[in-house]
Amino acid sequence: MSQLLLLHGPNLNLLGEREPGIYGDLSLAGIEKACQDKAEKLGHSLRCFQSNSEGALVDAVHAARHDCAGVIINAGAYTHTSVALHDAFRGTRLPFVEVHLSNVYAREAFRHHSYLSAIAIGVICGFGPQGYDFALEALARKIADEAKVEG
Ligand code: DQA
């Protein structure tokens, strides 16, 4: 059993009230609860953290290197701007999956570039909250496969 980290970036604390036509009506607490249950079913524990501050998210990635086997992150707008988060994941070498509720490629051009995608295990976008389910399954599989290789 490993601990995983679920990270949410800016404005995602407003889920449920923020542009429900794009992001749905589930609150962040609702998403975190569903993820906790899913992680448990997969045999892992899950720590959840949200911040509107870039530095706090960088600190959370740094801290995770001590006690987490992997990260699922919806970095919100920092996806498209944050070299610091890119560097935090590179520096810690934590495996992570990038998630977006909306299909960012069907939206404004400034959402088409991600500073995280190229160093993520993979990217899931456009499936709403179900994307977190897929991400948890993928991350759990990756961790199990790596444990096998390490013997
Ligand atoms: C988002 C997409 C981002 O472009 C946006 O800034 C968000 C949410 C998503 O989940 O679809 O805050 O990451």
Side-chain angles (χ1 to χ4, degrees):
M1 185 201 203
S2 308
Q3 173 156 253
L4 310 176
L5 175 66
L6 176 63
L7 267 187
H8 279 97
N11 300 306
L12 292 166
N13 55 311
L14 296 182
L15 283 177
E17 47 180 290
R18 172 193 182 202
E19 300 185 88
I22 295 176
Y23 299 118
D25 44 28
L26 199 56
S27 65
L28 180 60
I31 287 176
E32 289 178 342
K33 171 75 177 81
C35 287
Q36 300 269 13
D37 293 347
K38 178 80 185 182
E40 233 168 79
K41 278 192 197 128
L42 292 166
H44 296 291
S45 64
L46 186 73
R47 180 161 84 229
C48 301
F49 180 71
Q50 185 276 335
S51 180
N52 294 319
S53 305
E54 189 174 14
L57 294 165
V58 169
D59 287 342
V61 174
H62 290 185
R65 79 190 193 282
H66 297 301
D67 62 358
C68 291
V71 181
I72 289 163
I73 183 166
N74 182 346
Y78 289 145
T79 306
H80 318 299
T81 62
S82 182
V83 176
L85 269 176
H86 171 105
D87 284 349
F89 280 110
R90 268 177 95 134
T92 58
R93 282 177 292 155
L94 273 168
F96 73 98
V97 179
E98 176 183 345
V99 174
H100 301 284
L101 291 155
S102 64
N103 178 357
V104 286
Y105 299 102
R107 301 182 62 196
E108 303 95 324
F110 64 81
R111 296 185 205 274
H112 297 179
H113 177 261
S114 165
Y115 278 97
L116 303 179
S117 301
I119 55 167
I121 297 168
V123 182
I124 296 165
C125 76
F127 293 98
Q130 203 187 0
Y132 294 94
D133 260 36
F134 301 149
L136 280 162
E137 279 171 25
L139 186 58
R141 177 87 62 94
K142 179 88 180 168
I143 289 165
D145 287 351
E146 263 162 29
K148 265 186 233 155
V149 172
E150 281 158 22

